[in-house]
Structure formats: structure tokens, C-alpha cells
Amino acid sequence: MFDSLFHAAHTAVIHLSTVLAPVGGTAAAVVAVTMLVRLLVHPLTRAAVRGERARAALAPQLAALRKKHGKDTAALAQAMTDLHREAGVSPLAGFAPMLLQAPVFIVLYQLFASATVAGQANVLLDSTLFGVPLSAHLLAPAAAWLPHLAVFGGVVAVLTALAWASSQRAVRLAALQETPPTGLLAALPRVLPYAILVSAVVLPLAAVLYLATSTAWTVAENALLRRGYPARAASGLPASGGAVA
């Protein structure tokens, strides 16, 4: 079954690359597929944001539960679970969009890492971006090393800027917690977004393009769906109700 799906995905990307040949061909197809996937999971993201706001509204009750149960972690966990259930809030809702994207990313990676598809040579491996194969890795430059470094350098620069934006927001959110983290836990929100830069080293260029496009979408989505937050949260005002329908 996977082979059939993989072959279908291969055929679809080839056709889409042909349609988008005037604006970038296969590279444009990778970006288009990424945006389509993010558009499809957008309703789940909106639902996750609504859940996030609902959980924020429960903060006073959660604080009361922590005070009530003290160090009894089992009782506290049960009480928090009951509170979330009564409010119709799932703490795991925010993971759904990410989990649904994972299979698409895996298939895309395989499309530019497999030498053959259905017993035939994988023609996608011949696709390039400014002369650099989409199957290329940063640490394995082709003969044209200058274009190779220029293309990967541009993608890494974009990823770095996106990681910085994500890091700044994560730090602001961490500072708004009832008990702001300290030590290593305080450093994690600042550092973790930069882990995506590892992708530029270990993944083929096509997969890196997918991650860059998806991360840019996430940054834009956060700006739109969570506008006014955490600024309003810090001032004690409710987050904008117009951001999420």
C-alpha cells in the first residue's frame, strides 16, 4: 500500500512540477505542496488556538488546585484532568496539526532520497534549484560548489530568521507563566527553535525547503491567530476574540 501511495505522490509531484515550470518547477511544487498541507490542517490549528485560550482561562482554577493538593502529584494530575474534561479542553490538541504533517514530510523526503520509484529511475533527483539538485545535502556539494553554498546559505539564512522569531515568542510566553522556568528550562524556549537548523545539514534540499516554508507559515499563522497575545495576556486583558473564528 505504501508503495502505491509513494508512486502516486511521485506522479503528482512530477505533474505539479510541469504546471509550475515557469515559476520554479519542482522547487515551486515542493513549496506549493507544503502550503496546501498547511492550508488543509489550518482548521485544526484554529481549534488548537481556541483550546489554548480556553486553557489560559482555566489558569486561576489550576493555581487553586496546585495550592490545594500541594505535593500530592497524583491527586493534582487527576484534578487537572477532571477540570480540563469538564471545560471540554484537551491539553494534546495542539499536537494534531504537527502529527498530520509528519506522513507528508516523510513521503517528500523519500521522493528526493530514493534512487528508484516503482522500479524506474527517480526523475525527481534531476530537479534543481538555481542549478543545485533538490536531492543535494549541504555537506555534499556538487562540482558547482559556489551555487551550492549560495542556495543553502540563503535557505539557512531564512531558517535562522524564522528560528529567531519563534525563539523570541517562546521566551515571551515562558515569562508569562505563573511560575517562570529557571535554569535549563528557561534556556530551552530560547534554544529549541534553532534545532531546525540541523535540517539544513542532514536533509536533502527539497526537505529543507519544505521545513522553511512550513515554519514561515507557522510564524505567519501565529501572528494572525494569536495577535495581541502575549501582550494582552501580560496586561491581564483577554486575548483578541476576533483572531480565531
Side-chain angles (χ1 to χ4, degrees):
M1 180 178 178
F2 177 79
D3 289 341
S4 298
L5 292 175
F6 184 62
H7 186 221
H10 182 263
T11 302
V13 171
I14 290 176
H15 286 316
L16 185 58
S17 300
T18 302
V19 173
L20 298 176
V23 293
T26 306
V30 170
V31 173
V33 168
T34 309
M35 296 179 70
L36 176 61
V37 171
R38 293 307 305 263
L39 185 62
L40 291 175
V41 301
H42 180 71
L44 292 177
T45 303
R46 296 176 73 88
V49 173
R50 287 195 293 268
E52 181 180 294
R53 290 179 174 175
R55 289 192 298 275
L58 295 177
Q61 298 176 63
L62 291 173
L65 288 177
R66 293 189 184 96
K67 183 177 180 180
K68 175 182 178 180
H69 294 287
K71 296 182 179 180
D72 189 346
T73 55
L76 176 60
Q78 184 59 50
M80 292 174 65
T81 299
D82 293 341
L83 178 62
H84 283 128
R85 184 185 301 112
E86 291 171 4
V89 174
S90 171
L92 302 179
F95 291 99
M98 180 176 62
L99 292 176
L100 289 176
Q101 292 175 68
V104 178
F105 177 76
I106 292 172
V107 170
L108 184 71
Y109 172 82
Q110 290 296 329
L111 286 177
F112 292 90
S114 301
T116 61
V117 176
Q120 303 295 322
N122 185 359
V123 297
L124 289 177
L125 299 185
D126 297 326
S127 304
T128 62
L129 174 62
F130 299 117
V132 178
L134 291 177
S135 59
H137 291 71
L138 174 61
L139 299 182
W145 61 271
L146 187 57
H148 181 96
L149 293 180
V151 169
F152 271 97
V155 176
V156 169
V158 170
L159 283 174
T160 302
L162 295 172
W164 177 85
S166 300
S167 174
Q168 293 300 303
R169 184 176 185 280
V171 169
R172 291 197 300 271
L173 289 175
L176 292 175
Q177 293 182 20
E178 180 184 353
T179 304
T182 58
L184 179 60
L185 292 179
L188 284 178
R190 186 184 303 275
V191 174
L192 280 180
Y194 291 96
I196 196 173
L197 296 179
V198 177
S199 66
V201 178
V202 302
L203 295 176
L205 179 57
V208 179
L209 282 178
Y210 179 99
L211 289 179
T213 305
S214 185
T215 304
W217 183 289
T218 297
V219 171
E221 213 169 38
N222 281 333
L224 291 173
L225 298 184
R226 296 176 172 90
R227 61 180 179 266
Y229 187 83
R232 283 187 175 85
S235 63
L237 298 176
S240 171
V244 181

